[in-house]
């Protein structure tokens, strides 16, 4: 069995192993990390040898930590990263390179249609009718997108939304509200087979699926990192938030979508969103305006240039071919707008 895992912000860990009699055998750990002293790699292999195959990530991590020499130094590597690679090997996880990735980047769409396209495209990936897909959104109207389980009245000031012509829609994933305006927001979705995140905890899958965009930001001179559970942050502040939804059927699939602030009208945002003191205290700031630091200021690049560089970065890492929403997919999405995402029943399902 073969498993790979790129430690977030670190290096690639590769594990090859067999399972015999319910235990790990012939374990070999490798990768492009740095590790001192040399014998530490043998200690890691020995710690995993004979471990019950059903040992969870925490248990495998503890075995490795207990076996490492006191003088061990790891760079780009963690004991947990090795353990995750083992779990991915046992789960027969797939890798980014196993797929032919497709890009969808089309004309602006309404907020409700974007919600529907996420559901339809991810369901098509789950059914095996479409390859794993990176979809970059273009917005036809300003909007507030609330999480699947958020209270509409607690999150949105209806008078502020009406005054500024803001459409309110509800997405299928959890998480918090997003304030978006055309030209000020960069949003993308990854619709991936469930096997790509096999062996990862729900939390670890966020970091794993965000890793490519951290590399893209680094290429633009921005030192960014994944901040659990679902934020991408820099020294200057949060720049993006992610959300996920698991979709059943066929091989199963995961929707992972991210909204990044290229620029932001903070005063307008505060007139539309009801951002409570509890949320601000959790983020370690007293001001909602300080929570988000736009990409325009950090990169000095036009929004279109940022998007182009992000797409190029993904293509260079994993390959990417041009695609489009099919007529059948669009018809399904438009029907979902009519019956679900465009209805008051769905938007106010948590009043």
């Amino acid at each position: 069995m073969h498993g790979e895992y790129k430690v977030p912000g670190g290096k690639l860990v590769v594990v090859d192993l067999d399972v015999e009699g319910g235990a790990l055998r012939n374990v070999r750990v490798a990768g492009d990390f740095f590790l001192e002293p040399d014998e530490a790699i043998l200690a890691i292999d020995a710690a995993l040898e004979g471990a019950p195959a059903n040992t969870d990530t925490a248990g495998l991590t503890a075995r490795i930590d207990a076996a490492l020499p006191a003088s061990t130094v790891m760079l780009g590597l963690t004991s947990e990263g090795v353990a995750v690679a083992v779990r991915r090997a046992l789960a027969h996880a797939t890798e980014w390179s196993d797929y032919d990735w497709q890009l969808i980047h089309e004309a602006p769409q309404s907020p409700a249609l974007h919600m529907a396209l996420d559901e339809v495209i991810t369901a098509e990936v789950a059914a095996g009718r479409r390859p794993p897909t990176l979809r970059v959104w273009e917005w036809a109207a300003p909007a507030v997108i609330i999480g699947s389980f958020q209270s509409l009245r607690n999150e949105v000031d209806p008078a502020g939304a009406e005054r500024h012509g803001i459409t309110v829609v509800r997405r299928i994933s959890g998480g918090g509200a997003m304030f978006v305006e055309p030209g000020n927001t960069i949003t993308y979705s990854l619709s991936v087979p469930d096997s790509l995140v096999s062996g990862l905890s729900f939390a670890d899958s966020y970091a794993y699926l965000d890793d490519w965009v951290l590399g893209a930001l680094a290429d633009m001179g921005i030192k960014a990192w994944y901040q659990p559970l679902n934020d991408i942050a820099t020294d200057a502040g949060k720049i993006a938030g992610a959300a996920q939804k698991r979709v059943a059927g066929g091989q199963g699939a995961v929707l992972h979508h991210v909204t990044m602030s290229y620029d932001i009208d903070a005063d307008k945002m505060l007139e539309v969103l009801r951002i409570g003191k509890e949320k601000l205290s959790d983020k370690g700031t007293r001001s909602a305006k300080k929570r988000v630091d736009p990409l325009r200021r950090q990169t000095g690049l036009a929004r279109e240039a940022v998007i182009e560089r992000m797409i190029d970065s993904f293509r260079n890492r994993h390959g990417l071919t041009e695609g489009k929403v099919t007529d059948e997919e669009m018809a399904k999405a438009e029907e979902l707008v009519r019956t679900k995402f465009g209805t008051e029943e769905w938007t106010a399902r948590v009043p």
Side-chain angles (χ1 to χ4, degrees):
M1 299 178 185
H2 179 86
E4 297 184 4
Y5 178 63
K6 186 180 182 299
V7 177
K11 299 293 186 177
L12 181 68
V13 183
V14 180
V15 176
D16 291 286
L17 57 85
D18 299 317
V19 175
E20 299 174 2
L24 307 186
R25 300 295 180 193
N26 306 314
V27 180
R28 292 293 180 269
V29 176
D32 60 356
F33 47 80
F34 300 91
L35 179 64
E36 295 288 348
D38 284 351
E39 55 265 27
I41 191 69
L42 300 178
I44 293 173
D45 291 344
L48 296 170
E49 191 73 23
N54 61 356
T55 306
D56 62 13
T57 300
L60 293 171
T61 300
R63 289 177 71 106
I64 296 168
D65 285 339
L68 288 172
S71 60
T72 298
V73 176
M74 294 179 170
L75 295 175
L77 174 70
T78 64
S79 298
E80 183 181 18
V82 176
V84 170
V86 170
R87 294 307 315 168
R88 284 176 59 75
L90 293 168
H92 302 285
T94 53
E95 309 298 334
W96 296 86
S97 59
D98 292 331
Y99 300 105
D100 295 323
W101 293 86
Q102 187 173 109
L103 170 68
I104 295 176
H105 187 195
E106 298 185 331
Q109 307 285 3
S110 72
L113 187 58
H114 276 308
M115 303 303 108
L117 285 170
D118 260 0
E119 181 170 322
V120 169
I121 288 172
T122 308
E124 292 297 292
V125 172
R129 290 189 290 265
R130 125 172 318 277
T133 300
L134 167 65
R135 184 170 74 91
V136 179
W137 304 21
E138 295 294 346
W139 294 92
V144 167
I145 300 92
I146 59 175
S148 181
F149 310 108
Q150 288 189 295
S151 162
L152 177 60
R153 68 165 67 98
N154 288 347
E155 299 299 325
V156 182
D157 183 320
E162 182 177 3
R163 182 165 61 253
H164 293 293
I166 305 294
T167 300
V168 181
V169 292
R170 186 183 295 274
R171 61 181 185 270
I172 60 173
S173 62
M178 304 185 304
F179 174 77
V180 303
E181 293 183 287
N184 284 356
T185 306
I186 297 172
T187 305
Y188 68 85
S189 302
L190 283 171
S191 297
V192 307
D194 186 67
S195 57
L196 184 65
V197 295
S198 292
L200 299 178
S201 68
F202 189 83
D204 285 343
S205 70
Y206 274 85
Y208 185 70
L209 294 176
D210 280 338
D211 191 68
W212 74 273
V213 81
L214 298 184
L217 291 169
D219 293 342
M220 287 181 267
I222 299 176
K223 183 181 179 181
W225 59 85
Y226 163 74
Q227 184 169 294
L229 170 65
N230 62 333
D231 288 348
I232 297 174
T234 70
D235 286 332
K238 173 182 172 180
I239 57 174
Q244 286 187 5
K245 177 68 176 180
R246 263 60 175 173
V247 174
Q251 63 185 346
V254 176
L255 168 65
H256 179 91
H257 44 198
V258 174
T259 291
M260 312 178 78
S261 291
Y262 172 75
D263 203 351
I264 193 165
D265 186 332
D267 291 324
K268 185 187 296 185
M269 178 183 73
L270 292 177
E271 291 180 26
V272 176
L273 294 182
R274 289 174 169 159
I275 302 175
K277 294 180 180 179
E278 186 69 22
K279 182 177 290 186
L280 294 180
S281 66
D282 181 55
K283 299 298 182 182
T285 181
R286 292 176 178 238
S287 170
K289 292 184 181 181
K290 295 179 181 178
R291 287 186 59 209
V292 180
D293 192 73
L295 286 170
R296 179 185 60 79
R297 181 163 58 249
Q298 293 201 44
T299 64
L301 297 170
R303 175 181 176 273
E304 293 74 17
V306 174
I307 292 174
E308 183 179 354
R309 292 193 184 195
M310 287 173 58
I311 291 172
D312 286 344
S313 182
F314 190 102
R315 182 180 290 112
N316 291 336
R317 283 171 168 81
H318 306 304
L320 196 61
T321 59
E322 300 288 333
K324 64 177 184 178
V325 177
T326 68
D327 291 342
E328 183 178 358
E329 289 168 341
M330 184 59 75
K332 290 180 179 178
E334 289 172 343
E335 179 65 11
L336 275 178
V337 170
R338 188 185 70 80
T339 60
K340 181 177 180 178
F341 293 105
T343 68
E344 181 67 18
E345 181 182 10
W346 170 256
T347 304
R349 75 184 188 103
V350 182

